[in-house]
């Protein structure tokens, strides 16, 4: 059996893109009732694109590469400045808030409370209004959505310009408003939005668009840029360039290309440079309340630098607590967000706004009221090694906050962590050489209250990250364990701040289940490489404990939102399942090479598959699969009507393709793509034909029907595929490709083969 | 067309392993004339193995996972201690050498020189003897070989116990003997050897073997462990745990599994803990001349922490020089090693030994003689910020070596870098706040001499790494540029040590073409995160410049050694090539399901393919490909003779498999595997049959014949494949697998499918 099929010239096939099927997601979306749209988003091996590149000249290639580097530079700079802007705004709002409150409190506690409360409320109100009325996709952290995007699932609106604006201003409001959430997750989303906008040359609707930048308006390049943006976001949020790269690598993508690694790393480093330069400018006092801290967010490099073996037990305990609390946090937030999604948020925007305002009020009451109920503590004896002043001078930041203390030599330990910005609170919790600063009861109160606040706040319609609240919670119980260790072992080498840091790592590990990237981020934000092995130990334990209960925070949330992410490990049953069992109940919908327009319309109407195999009949009468066509391509073809033809079946591929430009088929990030409702056809047009051949992906990945599902799963993950065709066992092998075939040059190829061509049949 | 083929029970198929063909390499090996053996080494998706795991109980699974973690712990500890041992030995030998030389020099320069020379000669002689007579695979750095191993190419003997021993003691000799080479590359190889030995439960020949550890005696687990070992080696060599992980990720493997990431990271951290603890023990003076330095090898954290924009130009210059010199280094070493391989080293071991001794003598003469010809310099004025004493006190280490200086207030700048251990020399070159320590002429002399020595030394039959020589060369010209900058800009903020560091990075980048991992390693060995963006800039430039001339050092060496590595980017022509063009000239050698023993023997004799498709005839008379069998499996079957049968074609799979244990088919790391010469068959046996069905890999990866070669290339790299079957375009699609199919549970599966099953034909 020798199938004679005309050889193709690949440079014609520049539109035959993708191994993508969006098929997967409509059911999930519809059943879960949200408005996720599963758009055909190329995530993969766009060989057609490469061929297109290959057919162009050297000059074009160089300008393409240069432009790509320029773009990642731009992404880095823009993300760095966004992060800087958010930081400045948040710190200044908080600064004004606290200084106003402290000033008014001198006269009246109630007036002080009102000022504090009002400040928070206004900021949160602004934030929730921006999000609900202007940019609904900006709510939450955005990390599950970005993870989805980079694995081929496009949630509507997540990468729009308005989402970017909403995210930036919304998180200024929500973080400045003192809610129990962080700005780190939103920054990752911000980076991704910037990357996507840069990649498509601006936003159409906002008139900042450059036509010549459309080189990158294809899905593969955009995906690469978004990966860079994602790393840039982490790098900006934590000032952790290496952590950013590893985050993008470990957490976000399932596939990996080594060429991309270097570019991602470059973006991260650019962000670091930008943030550092901007902060350097701030040290001269240009930035109001911002700029006191260094590049390292919570520097503990002066802390504990050695550890004894007997400390491993309490550290393991920290890990176990982290695993338990993290899993509890995931479970509670899952219940709550599912309740919100199905009941509360269905009642309209007003409910969302009221909810956020209520949470803000509750937060204000707790953070103002609880410290009032706490007794003040006398400052410790002056320590010659420490330059920390107790109580801290008015108008400054740091430990030992004097809040409602009658004696000027006293401080309020609960106010030190509760009545403060979160960054400062964490700095205070991590602070070394401040043994016995906090009483156990204060820490316990704070832990219980803040944990509850974080759970309640999660899922309100404001931009919200979970890193900082996680660090707050974790460092509180970590510090508690540290106090215990100090009391039990009476070793002056033990530092409570170290345990706080380990606690923070353990809670994040127990909740988000990240490993390597989290480790590196923790090291980079605290600048203490010595603690790396301890952080690893704690993470190992907390992740293992957490995994015994439920999946990670992002996975749980993605599942609830109907984003189908492939976990890193295939399920157990897949080992025993052959792929043909999985598609037993499927009836495959195929198109003939030349199909009637009316038939295509009816097929598209009657099902929601996103990819269709295309078959052709050879002269011998045999049927052969010539490729796969995407629903979105069919829609474009139907709308443009350029390719309709009366009857003559085969037309010149080159001619057909010349009528389309490459960007016709690429989805706009800012639109929802075509739908069948947008297409209007007359009955005469319905009777015409289309030759689909130029528009198919001629070589989709295929697997034999008896391959195990595990193997297919890995194929999907490692190559980032969105569909695979299952075919019967082949009846013939045309050749065996080995590594040698891929190494030798084409000229050597034929010679190299000769000696091995020994037939036996 | 509906092929009826009996469904298989996967738990029977536990021997049907692998997508591996060793086919690729024999030609290359034979033509290049070395004794590389291309063994069937499973690098991949060993689903049969997973199925085997799946069929066992929960307890077994837990013990398996526990054991795997224990093993990586063991690898970390062992690699850490090996590194520590090598360090101690090298430092002590060097210490004794220098103190003896300095002592004797007080009386006579000639006697001093003789002592110095003899010391070096004895150490190098020991090293080259160990390597040539005992462990030939221990020569060189071993990194190209390990890279090959992890990509599926097993060079003979690289992971043996004797190689490990040879590597450790050989590198003590070669590094202690003062040759222009480093111990870092060999440490990576050491880590890999340890991992492989641990993985197979010890070495058979050396009676340290535990039967119960054979759980991991399969190729997939061994590959994972070797990856860990590789990272452990880097981590131990540079005390850079994160750098080690990234090295394994970026440089060594082409595939990547996220589960492995965490384990690799754990190993790296264990190494860091072990090395740190051991070094902590040394600070109490237990280790002789070793133990003065801290955990960070060349700490420059006290150096330049800011940079001006005008410095970017000289820094870019450093990058360009690095690219040029690195490419030159690669080219010269390539010529030289090719000459050595084809001419010099063919003359036998004695030539190799003499060569190494000559190189040692030359090195001794240059490093002793050149400083003698240099004039001494007067010590700089005492600097209150610096605690560096000039000249350094006798018997200590550091800057400002007094060598052949008449005045006690003088030092010899060339001796400071040349007549010193390399670690100290680098520390001196990186040293900050020592402006104008070196004269330009001394640096230039050293650069020229050391570059030549490094080129000549590369390829001698001793364990040799290129990291440290690269750093030496790079930091020399870096410091030269730094001196220029100091003189031109007259800015007190500029530090020559920073430029030395950038120079080191640039030369390594220009020679090895590593990017991310090199960046992180440089940061970790110098502990200055601030310089990260500058290091990146320099690496970007030097890699780009170097790439314009030739491939990276390891790639060039691998190609010369006949190791077929797939580069990270497919070649340009592949975009236009269909896979069927590549296998046009192949005649595929197939076996029938039940084949005659004699036929199999003759096929194996007549060609050197390493994998053969197996076909079967259905009752309908149609032929169908039932899988792929490996040459090595056939050899095992032929040798064991258990499965020979008279005529009855099909036998019970379960029964056949029960006669073999899983480890029968796994290759011993310590042997060369079976060859056809080991098999003796009587004419009666030759007339018998074998049913091959139980031993095939039933679902090898297949690609349609018109897929582009680029796409196949990526498939190979990303999945780490060793062969792929090329089949005709399918005539039918059984189903389309999408992400949804991989997410839903088997029970939900059928339901979820119903609504989408709308057929059109």
């Amino acid at each position: 059996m020798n199938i004679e099929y005309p050889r193709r010239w690949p440079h014609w096939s520049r539109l035959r893109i993708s191994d993508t099927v969006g098929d997967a997601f409509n059911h999930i979306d519809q059943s879960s009732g949200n408005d996720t749209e599963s758009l055909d988003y190329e995530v993969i091996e766009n060989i057609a694109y490469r061929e297109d590149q290959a057919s162009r000249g050297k000059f074009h290639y160089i300008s393409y590469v240069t432009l790509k580097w320029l773009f990642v530079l731009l992404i880095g700079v823009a993300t760095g400045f966004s992060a800087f802007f958010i930081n400045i705004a948040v710190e200044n709002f908080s600064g004004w808030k606290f200084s106003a409150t402290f000033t008014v409190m001198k006269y009246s506690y109630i007036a002080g409370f009102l000022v504090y409360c009002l400040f928070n409320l206004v900021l949160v109100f602004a934030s929730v209004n921006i999000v609900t009325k202007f940019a609904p996709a900006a709510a939450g952290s955005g990390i599950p959505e970005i993870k989805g995007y980079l694995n081929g699932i496009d949630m509507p609106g997540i990468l729009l310009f308005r989402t970017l604006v909403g995210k930036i201003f919304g998180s200024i409001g929500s973080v400045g408003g003192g809610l129990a959430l962080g700005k780190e997750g939103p920054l990752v989303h911000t980076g991704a939005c910037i990357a996507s906008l840069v990649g498509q040359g601006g936003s159409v609707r906002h008139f900042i668009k450059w036509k010549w930048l459309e080189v990158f308006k294809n899905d593969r390049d955009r995906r690469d840029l978004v990966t860079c943006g994602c790393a840039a976001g982490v790098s900006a949020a934590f000032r952790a360039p290496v952590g950013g790269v590893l985050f993008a690598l470990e957490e976000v993508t399932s596939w990996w290309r080594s060429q991309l690694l270097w570019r991602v790393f470059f973006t991260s480093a650019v962000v670091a440079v930008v943030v550092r330069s901007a902060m350097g400018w701030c040290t001269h006092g240009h930035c109001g309340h911002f700029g006191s801290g260094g590049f390292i967010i919570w520097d503990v490099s002066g802390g504990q630098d050695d550890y004894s073996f007997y400390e491993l037990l309490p550290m393991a305990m920290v890990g176990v607590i982290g695993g338990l609390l993290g899993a509890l946090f995931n479970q509670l937030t899952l219940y709550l967000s599912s309740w919100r999604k199905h009941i509360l948020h269905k009642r309209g925007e007003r409910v969302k706004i009221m909810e956020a305002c209520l949470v803000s009020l509750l937060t204000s009451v707790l953070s103002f009221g609880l410290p009032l109920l706490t007794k003040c503590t006398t400052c410790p004896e002056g320590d010659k090694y420490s330059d920390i002043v107790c109580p801290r001078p008015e108008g400054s930041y740091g430990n030992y906050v004097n809040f409602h203390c009658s004696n000027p030599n006293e401080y309020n330990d609960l106010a030190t962590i509760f009545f403060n910005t979160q960054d400062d609170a964490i700095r205070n919790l991590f602070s070394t050489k401040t043994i016995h600063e906090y009483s156990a009861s204060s820490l316990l109160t704070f832990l219980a209250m803040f944990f509850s606040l974080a759970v309640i706040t999660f899922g309100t319609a404001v931009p919200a990250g979970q890193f900082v609240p996680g660090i707050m919670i974790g460092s509180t119980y970590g510090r508690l364990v540290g106090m215990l260790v100090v009391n039990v072992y009476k070793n002056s080498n033990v530092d409570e701040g170290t345990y706080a840091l380990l606690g923070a790592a353990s809670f994040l590990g127990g909740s988000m289940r990240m490993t390597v990237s989290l480790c590196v981020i923790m090291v980079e934000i605290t600048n203490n490489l010595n603690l790396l092995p301890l952080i690893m130990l704690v993470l190992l334990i907390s992740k293992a404990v957490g995994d015994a209960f439920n999946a990670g925070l992002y996975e749980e949330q993605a599942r609830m939102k109907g984003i189908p992410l492939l976990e890193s490990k295939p399920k157990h049953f897949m080992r025993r399942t052959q792929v043909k069992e999985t598609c037993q109940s499927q009836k495959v919908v195929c198109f003939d090479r030349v199909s009637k327009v009316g038939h295509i319309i009816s097929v598209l109407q009657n099902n929601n598959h996103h990819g269709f195999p295309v078959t052709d009949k050879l002269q011998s009468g045999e049927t052969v699969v010539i490729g796969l066509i995407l629903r979105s391509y069919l829609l474009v073809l139907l709308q443009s009507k350029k390719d309709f033809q009366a009857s003559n079946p085969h037309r010149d591929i080159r001619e057909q393709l010349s009528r389309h430009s490459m960007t016709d088929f690429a989805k706009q990030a800012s639109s929802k793509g075509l739908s069948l409702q947008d297409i209007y056809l007359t009955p005469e047009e319905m009777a015409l034909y289309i030759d689909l051949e130029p528009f198919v992906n001629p070589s989709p990945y295929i697997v034999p029907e008896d391959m195990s599902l595990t193997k297919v799963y890995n194929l999907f993950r490692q190559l980032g595929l969105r569909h695979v065709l299952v075919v019967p066992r082949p009846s013939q092998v045309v050749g065996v490709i080995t590594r040698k075939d891929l190494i030798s040059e084409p000229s050597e190829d034929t010679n190299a083969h000769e000696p091995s061509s020994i037939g036996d049949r």
Side-chain angles (χ1 to χ4, degrees), chain A residues 407-427:
Chain A
N407 197 321
N409 193 26
E410 284 183 343
Y411 70 99
N412 186 321
D413 62 344
L414 194 53
T416 304
I417 42 181
F418 222 156
F419 196 67
N420 220 331
T421 64
Q422 290 176 11
D423 279 8
D424 281 332
I426 294 172
R427 201 169 288 123

Side-chain angles (χ1 to χ4, degrees), chain A residues 392-621:
Chain A
R392 70 172 190 199
E394 211 171 309
S396 75
Y397 308 95
N399 285 282
Y400 303 114
V401 175
N402 184 324
F403 180 87
H404 181 54
C405 298
S406 45
N407 197 321
N409 193 26
E410 284 183 343
Y411 70 99
N412 186 321
D413 62 344
L414 194 53
T416 304
I417 42 181
F418 222 156
F419 196 67
N420 220 331
T421 64
Q422 290 176 11
D423 279 8
D424 281 332
I426 294 172
R427 201 169 288 123
N428 296 343
L429 282 167
F430 281 1
S431 68
T432 52
K433 294 175 190 142
T434 50
I435 287 177
H436 305 310
E437 179 177 356
Y438 306 101
S439 69
S441 64
S442 295
L443 286 180
L444 273 175
T445 315
F446 179 73
L447 179 60
M449 287 302 145
F450 196 84
F451 187 87
S452 317
L453 279 179
V455 168
I456 294 170
T457 313
F458 184 98
T460 47
V462 289
Q466 275 69 55
F467 268 101
V468 164
I471 293 177
M472 294 278 275
I473 295 168
S475 51
T476 311
Y477 65 77
R479 188 131 191 150
L480 270 168
V481 174
M483 286 171 64
L484 195 77
V485 176
V486 169
N487 285 333
V488 171
Y489 291 118
K490 308 225 184 297
N491 183 330
S492 64
N493 237 347
V494 176
D495 205 302
E496 292 173 7
T498 307
Y499 283 82
L501 168 62
L502 293 178
S506 77
F507 187 81
L508 292 179
S511 165
M512 298 176 184
R513 315 284 158 79
M514 286 156 58
T515 52
V516 181
S517 49
L518 188 55
C519 246
V520 174
I521 289 174
M522 292 308 288
V523 168
E524 286 190 288
I525 56 179
T526 57
N527 200 18
N528 197 337
L529 204 64
N530 295 349
L531 298 179
L532 184 65
L534 299 181
I535 295 176
M536 288 195 63
L537 173 81
V538 163
L539 277 182
L540 266 174
I541 295 171
S542 70
K543 182 173 150 66
V545 171
D547 278 340
F549 294 97
N550 48 29
L553 184 68
Y554 298 136
E555 280 77 37
E556 295 279 9
Q557 290 296 321
R559 201 181 299 158
M560 199 212 56
K561 291 180 181 181
I563 305 171
L565 294 178
L566 295 185
E567 286 164 36
S568 66
K569 265 193 173 174
K571 294 230 172 62
H572 200 264
F573 77 89
M574 292 186 179
R575 294 173 184 166
R576 299 162 180 277
T577 315
Q578 289 184 1
V579 70
K580 70 178 162 200
E581 296 168 46
T582 307
C583 45
Q584 254 165 7
S585 56
Q586 289 182 349
K587 258 193 177 163
V588 180
V589 186
C590 287
F591 283 114
D592 287 327
R593 176 175 167 186
V594 180
S595 287
K596 214 172 180 174
V597 172
H599 173 68
I600 296 176
I601 292 276
S602 81
V603 168
L604 293 183
Q605 266 167 352
N606 287 326
N607 70 65
N608 44 26
H609 293 210
H610 280 236
F612 303 90
V614 178
T615 57
D616 196 7
K617 280 221 159 37
L618 299 184
Q619 285 163 338
S620 61

Side-chain angles (χ1 to χ4, degrees), chain A residues 41 71 83 92 118 269 277 311 337 375 462 485 492 563 616 625 698:
Chain A
Y41 220 81
F71 273 28
N92 276 311
L118 206 70
S277 315
E311 285 186 72
S337 24
K375 273 211 324 216
V462 289
V485 176
S492 64
I563 305 171
D616 196 7
V625 179

